[in-house]
Amino acid sequence: MAADNATPLDSRSAQMPNPPGRKSKRKRQWTRYRLMRYYVVPWLFLIPILGLHAFVVVIPALQGVYYSFTDWSGIGEAKFIGLRNFEEMFFEDQSYIDALSRNVQWMLFFVSVPFAFALFGSSLLAKVRRGAMFYRTALFMPFILPSIVTATIWRYLYNPRFGLPTLVGYDKALLGQSDTALWAIAFADNWHFWGFLMVLFLTAMQGIDPVLYDAAKVDGANRWREFWHVTLPGIRPVVLFMMMMVMIWAFLVFDYIFILTGGGPAGATEVLGIDIYKNAFQRFEAGYAAAQGMTICVFAGLIVCVFAFLRKRGWDI
C-alpha cells in the first residue's frame, strides 16, 4: 500500500507546517486585496462624480461666498468691500425686506394649504380599492408638468375676460392686482404641488399596521379619531420632513412668479429669487446679488438647525 511505502522523510515533511514566508506572503496578498476592494476601487468610481460635483457646486458656491463681500458688476474685476453689501441689505434696502416678507408669506401658505389638501386627499384615497391607481395618477400628473406649461394654463384660467374670475362675477385681473397677485400665483403653484405631497403621505399611510385601526374601531373611534390618533402619528416623520423641505423651498421660489408676473405688478410679487435675478442681470450688481443669495443659505441652515434640535428633543423626524 502507498501508506506503507512512504518514507520517514515524506511523513515528516507532510506533518511540517507551511513555511513562515508563505504565510506572510498570503497575508500581504490578502491585505492588498482588501485595500484595493474596499478603499481604492470605490474611490476610483467616486472621483469622477466628486470632481463633477466640485466643478458644478462646490467651486461656484465658494465663489459666491467671495463675491458676496465685493462690489462686482458680473464682468471684470471685483472690488473687496467687506460687509458693506450686508449692511446695505439689512438696514438700507427696503425692497429686500419686502421681498423677504413675501417669501415668509409664501412659506406660511405652503406649510398649510397644500398639506391640508394632501392629508385630506390621501386619507380618502387610502380607503379606495377600485380605480385607486387612476385617481392617484390623475392627481399626481400636474406635478410632472413643466412649470412653463402649468403657468401658461393658469394665465389663461386667470384671464378676466373668459377665465375663472368671470364665473364668479369678478371682472378684475387677479394677476394684475397688488393684493391678489401673490396669492393667485401661490394657488396655481399649489395645484401643481399638492398631488406630490398626497402621494408621499399615501405611501406612508400604507405602511401603518392595520391592527392599529382595528384596535381603534374596537375602542369606538370614528374616522376623525382614527385619523388623529392612528394615521397622523404613523405618518408624522414624513409630514415633518416634508414640512422642513417646503419651508426651505419657499425661499427658493422663482419660476412661477417669473413666468406669470415677473415680480409685478409694482413689485407686489417680487420675492428674493426675483430680486436677486434683477440685481444680478438687470442692474448689474452681481456682488450684492451674491450677498442676497448667501442670506437664503443662512435661512435654510437655520430651518435645518431647528428641526435637528427638535429631533434631539425627541421629535420623530
Side-chain angles (χ1 to χ4, degrees):
M1 296 178 61
D4 297 336
N5 296 331
T7 62
L9 182 60
D10 294 335
S11 61
R12 286 197 303 270
S13 61
Q15 296 175 359
M16 288 182 60
N18 292 328
R22 185 179 300 176
K23 294 182 64 175
S24 60
K25 182 179 180 180
R26 290 181 178 177
K27 186 176 181 180
R28 288 195 300 269
Q29 290 177 345
W30 176 247
T31 302
R32 285 197 297 269
Y33 171 77
R34 288 177 58 86
L35 182 66
M36 290 293 295
R37 179 170 181 178
Y38 296 104
Y39 296 97
V40 177
V41 173
W43 279 105
L44 290 177
F45 284 96
L46 284 174
I47 284 174
I49 303 300
L50 293 176
L52 180 63
H53 179 77
F55 182 75
V56 175
V57 178
V58 177
I59 295 176
L62 295 177
Q63 289 178 331
V65 174
Y66 168 73
Y67 285 125
S68 66
F69 298 101
T70 65
D71 181 11
W72 185 47
S73 65
I75 303 173
E77 185 178 357
K79 179 182 178 182
F80 185 81
I81 57 174
L83 298 175
R84 174 57 188 161
N85 286 331
F86 298 94
E87 180 183 354
E88 178 183 353
M89 188 189 315
F90 290 111
F91 300 104
E92 301 175 15
D93 189 0
Q94 184 61 38
S95 64
Y96 171 82
I97 303 300
D98 294 339
L100 178 61
S101 68
R102 295 185 192 100
N103 277 99
V104 174
Q105 295 174 45
W106 189 277
M107 179 184 68
L108 294 176
F109 178 88
F110 273 88
V111 296
S112 56
V113 177
F115 278 80
F117 279 30
L119 288 171
F120 180 73
S122 58
S123 62
L124 292 179
L125 284 178
K127 305 297 183 180
V128 175
R129 293 294 178 265
R130 178 176 297 180
M133 185 57 66
F134 170 77
Y135 294 119
R136 297 173 190 178
T137 304
L139 293 173
F140 183 75
M141 189 64 68
F143 182 74
I144 65 177
L145 292 177
S147 300
I148 184 65
V149 175
T150 304
T152 303
I153 292 173
W154 279 95
R155 180 185 288 117
Y156 285 104
L157 290 175
Y158 284 145
N159 192 292
R161 292 192 300 272
F162 53 80
L164 293 177
T166 60
L167 299 178
V168 294
Y170 190 82
D171 59 350
K172 296 182 180 179
L174 292 174
L175 297 176
Q177 303 293 318
S178 298
D179 54 345
T180 60
L182 184 66
W183 304 115
I185 300 173
F187 187 82
D189 197 353
N190 172 61
W191 177 83
H192 139 272
F193 180 66
W194 79 272
F196 170 70
L197 289 178
M198 183 209 65
V199 171
L200 292 180
F201 296 161
L202 184 59
T203 304
M205 288 178 185
Q206 292 175 344
I208 300 176
D209 193 347
V211 175
L212 299 177
Y213 289 103
D214 295 337
K217 291 178 181 178
V218 170
D219 292 338
N222 54 23
R223 287 290 299 274
W224 168 249
R225 290 187 177 275
E226 285 183 13
F227 174 79
W228 187 257
H229 295 287
V230 179
T231 303
L232 199 57
I235 65 173
R236 184 182 299 147
V238 178
V239 173
L240 292 177
F241 176 77
M242 288 310 303
M243 189 170 293
M244 178 185 70
M245 296 304 301
V246 168
M247 291 173 70
I248 295 174
W249 292 339
F251 288 97
L252 304 176
V253 58
F254 177 82
D255 49 357
Y256 278 85
I257 296 177
F258 182 78
I259 296 170
L260 289 173
T261 62
T269 60
E270 192 169 285
V271 292
L272 289 180
I274 300 294
D275 196 29
I276 291 173
Y277 172 82
K278 290 182 177 180
N279 284 326
F281 301 107
Q282 295 181 2
R283 305 183 185 112
F284 297 102
E285 298 177 357
Y288 186 66
Q292 289 180 309
M294 286 297 300
T295 61
I296 295 180
C297 297
V298 172
F299 295 144
L302 290 175
I303 293 171
V304 173
C305 290
V306 169
F307 276 84
F309 174 76
L310 295 177
R311 183 181 179 88
K312 288 185 177 180
R313 294 295 299 270
W315 285 48
D316 192 7
I317 302 177

